[in-house]
Amino acid sequence: MASSAETEDRRDLKSELARVLEVLRETQRENNSYRLYAAHTEMKNEALESQCERLTSEVKTLKIKLDKIEAANALLSLKIESPDRDAKQPKT
């Protein structure tokens, strides 16, 4: 028969093993939570990058339109400031 000291050691070892297993389970749960968070963050980052690319493209398109409008405005200003040369010259 096992001595009472051996029986007590076995109980202590079982208790320690149960504690270690619980810590392991908790660590695995935390790890899974962090992995889910990381995956969610990565998907969010990809969505933000896509939105940024779309907005950058939209800004470029609007810049081109603005440049065209400014060029047209400059031409109109020149025509207003200096009417046709033919109109200035006296008819002979």
Side-chain angles (χ1 to χ4, degrees):
M1 253 198 193
S3 71
S4 71
E6 287 177 344
T7 304
E8 185 66 29
D9 285 346
R10 284 185 186 157
R11 275 191 226 140
D12 288 347
L13 287 173
K14 283 183 179 180
S15 176
E16 181 66 16
L17 178 60
R19 189 188 67 74
V20 168
L21 287 174
E22 183 54 39
V23 169
L24 177 62
R25 286 185 195 105
E26 181 60 32
T27 303
Q28 287 173 331
R29 282 191 291 268
E30 274 185 44
N31 191 21
N32 288 338
S33 294
Y34 286 127
R35 285 183 182 188
L36 285 173
Y37 180 77
H40 174 73
T41 301
E42 188 174 334
M43 288 187 326
K44 197 172 180 181
N45 283 346
E46 288 173 1
L48 288 172
E49 285 176 8
S50 176
Q51 183 179 14
C52 184
E53 288 172 6
R54 182 183 58 76
L55 290 172
T56 299
S57 177
E58 191 174 328
V59 165
K60 287 178 183 177
T61 300
L62 291 172
K63 176 75 171 108
I64 291 169
K65 286 180 181 179
L66 178 63
D67 289 345
K68 288 179 181 179
I69 290 171
E70 287 177 344
N73 190 32
L75 285 175
L76 286 172
S77 293
L78 286 175
K79 285 187 176 186
I80 291 170
E81 289 173 8
S82 59
D84 266 348
R85 291 182 188 176
D86 294 335
K88 285 187 176 179
Q89 301 202 1
K91 294 185 180 180
T92 54

